[in-house]
Amino acid sequence: MKKYFVVGNPINHSFSPKLHNYWLKQNNIDAVYEKIKLEENEVENFILKIKNQEINGSNITVPFKKSVIPFLDKLSLEAEQTQSVNTICFQDGKLVGHNTDINGFEKAINNLNYKIKNKKILILGAGGVVPSIIFALNKMEVSEIIVSNRTYKKAENLKNQFEKVKIINWGEIPDFDVIINATSLGLNNEKFDLDISNIGDGKLFYDVIYNPSETNFLKVGKKLGNQTENGKYMFIYQAFEAFKLWQGIEPSVNNDVLNLLDND
Ligand code: ATR
């Protein structure tokens, strides 16, 4: 029986096993997908188990998406440019790191039927997932990307990877078409305390968080008359892309899959 994992710390909250095990069963694949919590000093040993095929593949989540890189033989272009790996495959004798968060985000936006090309984007946050979102937005040819992060320096570091990104102070709200919450604010129902009362309507509010399904950020956006979307499809599609890399099959994204992730 093949074995796949998602590794991170913390990992308890992860919905990946539910999703992947559903797809494995649906496609009659003799495999199991589990989650494990690792400490930083256990990562190398874990990766070696993929190399010697004790483990067939793995998803990587916070905080190891960058720290796994030195232990891999090769990176996809996307993983290289974002310095972020969320999926490891064993291909032609080599350990290859992929980044499926990028396609996950792109597919989630396409799924909305929202024409993001030439739109002005404001990203809140500068954590692990932000380089992947910026990469996807550039691919989708948005007109401008502005990043605002509580810790200014961390946002500024993004300019090393993405020259054209504009950095502004936390609390400053410029004109935008799409606002993306990529902070962890909202995971525990925290209040959204940036003053956006003057931004008006007709915008897209996108939250990377999907549990809870409606953060206070999305509630505020909705109240002001804007379109809102949580990170559920991004999560599903990053998993979809990982499944495709490992199994060579596109799994189905249907109501059962959506229901699997309904937790609140
Ligand atoms: P990491 O920063 O380790 O990559 P993450 O979960 O990917 O972790 O990122 C958390 C993001 O949420 C960061 O942008 C963080 O801002 P800082 O860089 O200033 O830490 C942001 N964040 C977390 N709590 C926040 C809060 N109370 N207010 C504003 N931003 C917050």
Side-chain angles (χ1 to χ4, degrees):
M1 182 188 270
K2 288 187 174 173
K3 270 197 142 175
Y4 298 87
F5 285 93
V6 57
V7 303
N9 192 345
I11 199 64
N12 227 355
H13 65 281
S14 176
F15 280 99
S16 291
K18 261 189 182 175
L19 191 52
H20 279 276
N21 285 319
Y22 172 84
W23 282 333
L24 288 167
K25 197 168 166 205
Q26 208 189 30
N27 289 284
N28 294 315
I29 297 168
D30 186 26
V32 56
Y33 184 113
E34 288 166 9
K35 56 186 169 195
I36 35 171
K37 182 174 149 188
L38 291 185
E39 299 303 326
E40 192 77 52
N41 63 4
E42 296 170 315
V43 172
E44 182 173 10
N45 203 28
F46 174 83
I47 304 286
L48 275 176
K49 288 186 184 165
I50 312 177
K51 188 139 192 172
N52 64 33
Q53 286 293 277
E54 270 174 71
I55 296 170
N56 300 83
S58 184
N59 281 135
I60 308 295
T61 188
V62 179
F64 303 128
K65 289 184 181 186
K66 190 176 167 75
S67 54
V68 295
I69 292 178
F71 310 124
L72 304 175
D73 301 317
K74 210 178 140 187
L75 296 181
S76 70
L77 176 80
E78 289 88 348
E80 176 74 49
Q81 293 203 1
T82 52
Q83 287 293 294
S84 177
V85 166
N86 79 328
T87 306
I88 298 176
C89 298
F90 190 66
Q91 291 166 308
D92 302 325
K94 286 197 164 75
L95 278 177
V96 186
H98 294 266
N99 177 338
T100 72
D101 290 326
I102 296 170
N103 270 340
F105 180 75
E106 190 178 357
K107 280 201 156 82
I109 296 294
N110 289 340
N111 202 47
L112 280 176
N113 261 328
Y114 181 84
K115 302 249 176 307
I116 203 162
K117 190 173 169 176
N118 293 327
K119 295 287 198 305
K120 192 169 172 180
I121 320 292
L122 172 62
I123 301 176
L124 304 177
V129 75
V130 170
S132 303
I133 291 177
I134 295 176
F135 189 98
L137 289 170
N138 280 333
K139 215 172 134 198
M140 292 186 276
E141 301 178 62
V142 301
S143 64
E144 193 174 359
I145 301 173
I146 304 165
V147 177
S148 168
N149 191 49
R150 181 179 61 176
T151 311
Y152 187 88
K153 182 86 190 92
K154 214 160 122 195
E156 210 174 41
N157 288 342
L158 288 165
K159 285 189 86 74
N160 299 332
Q161 283 161 284
F162 305 100
E163 269 173 40
K164 282 194 289 188
V165 166
K166 189 176 162 197
I167 313 299
I168 60 169
N169 286 318
W170 185 246
E172 215 179 300
I173 305 291
D175 178 42
F176 62 82
D177 301 302
V178 180
I179 183 168
I180 299 171
N181 177 35
T183 73
S184 44
L185 256 183
L187 273 174
N188 298 306
N189 271 315
E190 297 93 331
K191 208 173 135 225
F192 179 72
D193 53 12
L194 291 182
D195 181 12
I196 53 165
S197 49
N198 291 325
I199 62 121
D201 57 10
K203 324 269 182 195
L204 172 63
F205 275 60
Y206 188 92
D207 203 322
V208 170
I209 297 170
Y210 61 90
N211 183 21
S213 61
E214 194 175 58
T215 56
N216 289 320
F217 165 79
L218 292 184
K219 282 187 182 137
V220 170
K222 196 186 247 180
K223 211 167 156 194
L224 290 168
N226 298 287
Q227 182 178 352
T228 61
E229 181 71 16
N230 69 22
K232 199 169 183 176
Y233 276 105
M234 179 178 178
F235 175 74
I236 291 173
Y237 281 117
Q238 63 74 31
F240 172 101
E241 294 292 330
F243 192 91
K244 200 166 117 185
L245 280 168
W246 292 325
Q247 316 298 350
I249 297 171
E250 291 198 346
S252 57
V253 177
N254 53 29
N255 276 337
D256 289 346
V257 166
L258 288 169
N259 291 337
L260 281 177
L261 305 186
D262 275 338
N263 206 33
D264 61 323

